[in-house]
Amino acid sequence: MKEIIEKLSRIENGFKPIETEALRIFKLNTIDNAITLSCELLKHDKYQIRSLAVFILGFVSANDLRALRILKTEVSEDSGWQVQEILAKAFDQYCKDNGYEKSLPIIKEWLNDKNPNICRAVTEGLRIWTSRPYFKDNPKVAIKLISEHKGSDSEYLRKSVGNSLRDISKKHNDLIEEEISGWDLTDKKINFTYKYVTKNKKKK
């Protein structure tokens, strides 16, 4: 494990090698061992190694909700933005393995959390939402869930909301126009999100 840690710690750009190693570890270990190892790796000072732990937990999460709980309660508090990016990927991995429609209660639970990192893990992790099973056939559900945070106090989250809705507008522009037409643009936070949704959009 020491060699793996040294190797991954040298990575400066991209997460693919870390994800590949996480999948290998997941396949070689029992669920209990994978969770135990992840908890140890989360204590590491290098974000690359904490990211490895998060990827492992993502692979485990649909099999054991302990992993999902660690992602929500511990990983969401990590100060590294890189780790938060992997949290989003890990949450999507959970939804993919568990089934997106079946995961709706958890998606809503995370979106209702007060921690913007937890909410963003959903809004960002499931991009492009309407390319995912269930949401592909139910774009209105995706739009409604994402839009709930259009006025969030967190700029970090609002950017993700705006970008996620802009993604959807490429195939469902009428639905997005219908949604944002009812927004109160005198609210600075909502207006901020609106600008991200309509960014690069040609004026008629």
Side-chain angles (χ1 to χ4, degrees):
M1 196 66 202
K2 184 179 178 181
E3 290 181 3
I4 293 171
I5 289 175
E6 289 178 355
K7 176 184 174 183
L8 296 183
S9 294
R10 291 193 292 269
I11 294 174
E12 294 183 1
N13 297 299
F15 293 105
K16 199 62 186 176
I18 300 175
E19 183 178 16
T20 299
E21 184 58 39
L23 181 58
R24 188 187 72 83
I25 291 171
F26 166 65
K27 289 180 176 179
L28 289 175
N29 284 273
T30 64
I31 296 297
D32 282 343
N33 286 348
I35 291 176
T36 299
L37 175 60
S38 296
C39 288
E40 286 301 313
L41 295 175
L42 283 176
K43 300 173 185 175
H44 205 279
D45 61 340
K46 294 282 189 179
Y47 77 82
Q48 295 94 331
I49 308 309
R50 301 198 305 279
S51 295
L52 174 65
V54 178
F55 270 127
I56 295 171
L57 290 168
F59 289 125
V60 171
S61 58
N63 298 286
D64 194 314
L65 290 179
R66 286 179 297 167
L68 191 65
R69 188 160 56 247
I70 294 168
L71 289 171
K72 185 180 181 184
T73 61
E74 296 184 32
V75 176
S76 66
E77 299 294 334
D78 194 291
S79 60
W81 67 265
Q82 300 96 333
V83 176
Q84 295 307 319
E85 290 299 317
I86 307 308
L87 174 60
K89 291 179 179 293
F91 185 79
D92 185 55
Q93 186 69 50
Y94 164 77
C95 293
K96 178 182 177 182
D97 294 340
N98 189 55
Y100 288 91
E101 184 174 8
K102 186 180 175 183
S103 299
L104 273 173
I106 297 296
I107 289 172
K108 291 176 181 178
E109 176 191 313
W110 279 47
L111 283 173
N112 285 329
D113 200 273
K114 293 180 180 179
N115 184 341
N117 285 342
I118 294 174
C119 299
R120 185 186 177 278
V122 183
T123 59
E124 194 69 19
L126 271 60
R127 290 179 64 188
I128 298 171
W129 281 64
T130 47
S131 68
R132 303 291 194 256
Y134 177 71
F135 294 113
K136 185 175 183 179
D137 297 323
N138 297 277
K140 285 186 176 181
V141 176
I143 293 168
K144 183 177 184 297
L145 289 170
I146 299 166
S147 297
E148 288 177 1
H149 287 291
K150 62 183 179 291
S152 170
D153 288 335
S154 168
E155 181 177 307
Y156 180 59
L157 176 54
R158 277 182 276 130
K159 282 182 180 179
S160 179
V161 168
N163 287 331
S164 296
L165 292 174
R166 188 171 74 249
D167 288 341
I168 295 173
S169 73
K170 292 172 184 176
K171 285 190 176 181
H172 302 282
N173 187 57
D174 289 347
L175 294 179
I176 294 298
E177 288 290 342
E178 181 183 347
E179 167 61 34
I180 63 177
S181 67
W183 288 10
D184 177 9
L185 300 184
T186 62
D187 184 308
K188 291 182 179 180
K189 293 170 186 174
I190 294 176
N191 190 273
F192 174 95
T193 307
Y194 177 86
K195 288 177 179 177
Y196 269 82
V197 179
T198 57
K199 189 177 180 181
N200 301 327
K201 188 173 287 188
K202 293 181 180 179
K203 293 183 179 180
K204 294 180 180 179

